[in-house]
Amino acid sequence: MGAAFSLRYVLAVLRPHGVVSLRVQPQSKARVSLKHPPPSSLLGALSYSLAREDGREVVFRDGHVEPRSAEFRDLIEHVAVAVSGEGYSYGSLYKINEYYRGEALQAVTALMNTFLYGEGDFAIKALFVLSGRCDGDCARLVERAAWGISRLGSRESLVSVERVSSGVGRVLAVDEVETEYSFEWREGVSLEGSYDVVFTADWRSVLGNIASAPRIRVVYPRGRVRVRGKGMKVFQFDEGVVVL
Amino acid sequence: MGVLSFLSLGVRFEANVEALNMVEVSGNYARHRRVPYIITEGGKPKVVYVPAVSGESLAHAYQELLAEEAKSLNLPVCSYCSAGEFLKSMDEEHASEKFGGKVPKLSQRAKKEELIRVVNEIEAGIVRGCVVEDVGGFLYAEKPPVKRTSRFAVSYALPIKSMATYATLEPQLHARHARTTGERREGAAEQMIYYVESGTAIYAFTFNLDLAGIGVSSYSGAQLVEDVGKRRLAAVRALYRMLSSQGFGAKLSRFFPVGGIVSLVATLTERPFTVTSPIYDDFATSTRQRLERVKATFGEKALYFEMGAEGYRTPEDVLSAVIEALKQEGTV
Ligand SMILES: [Zn+2]
């Protein structure tokens, strides 16, 4: 086990209100919905609440307009998610009839959503590991913002925050770990257990133009997975462990 | 900050024989929107499809009522939103009336300062010109693009979880009239049968309204209009009317659902806080407990309203109390 140092964290347990609409960016005509919340959506969900403190949703940076999350990501060292229960993607087929200025038009489209809806109880645990720049006051602000997460992804994907916990965890180097949280897949790592791998935008990169952002491969454990790799950096906190 | 300005609402309503949200029409068959619901049968997961109403459908109804409420308070609403066509200021053509025909543009070699100025001017112009776009947001997809996030958010209306498998979808046969008098013409499309799927369920949905963001720029956080209080009042009144009249969904002229609101909780907070979804049976208890936790931890003001408690007998009682509290607070 390598030398350890400490970082603060905030963990929010979200309860979906049925639909989680996470669009694959960039969109094509066949609009796909992701089954797992990508880190960029979690950061966006927290940013909405943080941005409301002064009403500014966007920032101007280098001649571009960027969402405010571009500013808040400096407060966040790492984002991970654990989802209990598996979503189901479904999109109704729509036939759209339009009568516009004397001309009748018709189009067919489908809009996918992911439904976290069923007998079982679904929960989305969103973990924010705060950077060293985020002091005690800042951590408290993030904690309140976490309570204020109201939407995950776009449009109708409302969530309520059922529980928020916070504290200090340790960053360690280990060769093997078991985790329920999502993490970025890297070369030289072996996995044991059931999981999905999703190609998604790197949440650390420029969020203004998500279409051109570099992609990362994120592993979403179904339940738990065992991860092996020489000297992996992990974050260990009261309620679990996350591969960094 | 420090003012009650975030409203969250959880609604359960009983709807018998409704056609609130139709999607595809295939030939003479009109299908109701449905969503998958995962159940366990004999230890194995199984998907069943239950009727649903999209948040988009609810949002449309809300914005129509918002346009009416705004106009009744002498607030500006653009011609498209007045007509219930919520294209918003999506391009120059649809934005132009807010700028007397001249939408601000970037010059050929625009500098950073100019971008900031033009983006601000466009947002401010649209917000000043139309309350529906102020509250409901818009996406101006020209150069430069300007986006305003909606100040309200609404979930899908889904059958409550504990009774979802009792929700039904049935096609109803209808027949169009055939003439009985006059000459009978061969091949004339007179009589026709058609089917409309109707649903029955106890539905639940969540509605959030961020009053602090109304009349305020997304880019600078500055207040853009003088009549912020009145605009906020229009936004809450529209919600009142939507719940009171059940004026949402399609086909209401023939498929007005039988039933009504069976439970309702509302919270008013300083910062965002969302009620637990009423699809869960414990939603009222969970909402109340979480609200107490937030109040105690952060020393914030917060109010809780529940239909059936403390003299709030009807949805109108709850919404009246919400509006009264917002008036006392000076929010509206
Ligand atoms: Zn308008």
Side-chain angles (χ1 to χ4, degrees):
Chain A
M1 207 168 272
F5 67 97
S6 308
L7 286 174
R8 294 171 203 273
Y9 72 89
V10 172
L11 175 76
V13 181
L14 319 177
R15 213 176 191 186
H17 288 205
V19 181
V20 178
S21 183
L22 301 156
R23 302 267 171 257
V24 172
Q25 298 284 355
Q27 280 195 357
S28 66
K29 275 222 170 112
R31 288 173 270 195
V32 181
S33 175
L34 295 173
K35 261 164 80 171
H36 307 278
S40 52
S41 295
L42 295 165
L43 181 63
L46 184 74
S47 299
Y48 160 75
S49 204
L50 281 170
R52 191 185 179 270
E53 293 295 315
D54 62 12
R56 291 191 303 122
E57 287 172 30
V58 274
V59 286
F60 294 96
R61 196 188 272 209
D62 309 325
H64 294 284
V65 180
E66 287 188 2
R68 195 77 185 282
S69 44
E71 185 182 313
F72 296 130
R73 69 167 175 246
D74 295 343
L75 306 176
I76 312 290
E77 181 69 34
H78 196 78
V79 184
V81 67
V83 181
S84 59
E86 200 165 329
Y88 197 91
S89 289
Y90 179 72
S92 287
L93 200 62
Y94 307 105
K95 197 180 262 179
I96 297 169
N97 297 311
E98 184 187 40
Y99 191 73
Y100 182 66
R101 290 183 185 166
E103 252 188 272
L105 306 166
Q106 206 175 62
V108 176
T109 185
L111 193 59
M112 296 298 278
N113 285 305
T114 293
F115 291 85
L116 292 167
Y117 180 64
E119 276 180 325
D121 266 338
F122 295 89
I124 302 167
K125 285 196 222 170
L127 177 74
F128 302 96
V129 179
L130 309 183
S131 74
R133 253 161 293 183
C134 196
D135 61 7
D137 286 346
C138 164
R140 197 169 164 77
L141 201 65
V142 174
E143 196 182 331
R144 179 58 185 92
W147 273 109
I149 292 176
S150 325
R151 222 164 47 156
L152 190 58
S154 56
R155 308 189 83 87
E156 294 135 335
S157 323
L158 294 189
V159 293
S160 48
V161 180
E162 296 299 308
R163 182 167 71 81
V164 174
S165 52
S166 61
V168 176
R170 292 186 312 153
V171 178
L172 317 163
V174 299
D175 296 336
E176 189 177 330
V177 76
E178 200 180 283
T179 184
E180 58 173 323
Y181 287 91
S182 63
F183 57 93
E184 190 182 336
W185 188 85
R186 292 186 180 92
E187 294 290 339
V189 163
S190 74
L191 305 172
E192 196 181 294
S194 182
Y195 53 87
D196 289 330
V197 181
V198 177
F199 221 40
T200 184
D202 187 352
W203 67 279
R204 292 177 191 85
S205 67
V206 179
L207 296 168
N209 186 2
I210 206 158
S212 61
R215 305 273 134 171
I216 52 172
R217 274 168 289 190
V218 178
V219 178
Y220 291 89
R222 286 184 178 142
R224 286 170 170 275
V225 293
R226 187 160 281 280
V227 194
R228 290 189 184 86
K230 211 103 206 84
M232 283 185 299
K233 261 198 345 180
V234 299
F235 180 73
Q236 195 176 50
F237 63 112
D238 279 354
E239 295 175 58
V241 61
V242 176
V243 179
L244 297 177
Chain B
M1 275 306 144
V3 177
L4 295 174
S5 55
F6 195 92
L7 171 62
S8 183
L9 210 74
V11 185
R12 272 185 173 189
F13 68 98
E14 180 189 340
N16 292 307
V17 196
E18 53 77 19
L20 291 173
N21 201 183
M22 312 309 281
V23 280
E24 58 194 306
V25 177
S26 174
N28 60 348
Y29 197 93
R31 260 180 108 221
H32 196 290
R33 183 188 294 273
R34 59 192 73 205
V35 299
Y37 182 83
I38 304 158
I39 58 168
T40 332
E41 213 177 62
K44 281 190 172 167
K46 183 185 158 187
V47 173
V48 292
Y49 289 90
V50 295
V53 182
S54 75
E56 201 67 72
S57 164
L58 297 169
H60 185 94
Y62 174 71
Q63 292 180 114
E64 277 192 347
L65 292 165
L66 176 60
E68 281 178 36
E69 285 303 319
K71 282 190 282 188
S72 76
L73 289 169
N74 289 319
L75 293 166
V77 179
C78 78
S79 63
Y80 293 99
C81 293
S82 294
E85 291 179 4
F86 303 116
L87 302 160
K88 312 290 185 66
S89 301
M90 62 183 197
D91 53 25
E92 225 183 300
E93 187 193 331
H94 293 88
S96 103
E97 72 174 83
K98 285 116 186 163
F99 299 91
K102 285 186 96 176
V103 187
K105 279 199 176 81
L106 288 177
S107 62
Q108 279 298 337
R109 287 146 106 204
K111 293 250 162 55
K112 196 174 137 199
E113 297 72 31
E114 193 187 326
L115 174 75
I116 297 174
R117 181 175 56 75
V118 172
V119 162
N120 270 307
E121 274 176 18
I122 294 174
E123 192 201 19
I126 297 171
V127 165
R128 288 192 187 112
C130 183
V131 172
V132 175
E133 288 165 76
D134 175 2
V135 179
F138 58 82
L139 177 63
Y140 177 71
E142 297 273 7
K143 224 181 148 196
V146 181
K147 178 176 178 274
R148 180 175 174 86
T149 305
S150 173
R151 271 51 180 152
F152 77 92
V154 53
S155 74
Y156 263 58
L158 299 171
I160 62 169
K161 281 179 71 157
S162 56
M163 283 173 66
T165 48
Y166 298 107
T168 60
L169 268 173
E170 279 292 316
Q172 303 294 327
L173 172 72
H174 298 264
R176 208 162 274 154
H177 163 84
R179 289 198 307 181
T180 52
T181 57
E183 207 179 312
R184 187 173 166 79
R185 283 174 296 142
E186 276 306 309
E190 284 187 335
Q191 188 169 24
M192 183 192 168
I193 54 167
Y194 64 102
Y195 298 87
V196 176
E197 274 188 352
S198 69
T200 285
I202 296 179
Y203 290 99
F205 69 90
T206 314
F207 192 106
N208 284 349
L209 177 60
D210 186 358
L211 296 158
I214 296 174
V216 170
S217 162
S218 321
Y219 292 86
S220 64
Q223 191 176 316
L224 298 171
V225 288
E226 293 294 315
D227 47 17
V228 164
K230 243 165 112 181
R231 286 177 178 231
R232 289 173 176 168
L233 183 61
V236 192
R237 277 200 190 167
L239 188 56
Y240 184 130
R241 285 236 277 148
M242 177 173 150
L243 297 181
S244 181
S245 66
Q246 288 179 63
F248 49 80
K251 286 192 172 285
L252 293 176
S253 56
R254 295 296 181 274
F255 282 86
F256 197 76
V258 179
I261 292 175
V262 290
S263 43
L264 169 63
V265 302
T267 59
L268 273 177
T269 44
E270 295 177 26
R271 294 181 165 112
F273 174 88
T274 302
V275 299
T276 300
S277 170
I279 61 172
Y280 307 103
D281 283 342
D282 70 337
F283 78 106
T285 315
S286 158
T287 300
R288 212 169 47 232
Q289 286 171 349
R290 294 189 297 113
L291 196 67
E292 286 307 317
R293 176 82 190 269
V294 170
K295 265 165 81 173
T297 311
F298 300 96
E300 288 177 25
K301 278 182 285 188
L303 296 176
Y304 174 85
F305 307 85
E306 183 180 336
M307 192 173 115
E310 292 175 60
Y312 304 130
R313 287 188 305 116
T314 61
E316 289 82 357
D317 288 343
V318 173
L319 267 298
S320 298
V322 165
I323 292 175
E324 199 45 49
L326 289 169
K327 278 184 177 159
Q328 271 181 22
E329 185 77 1
T331 311
V332 301

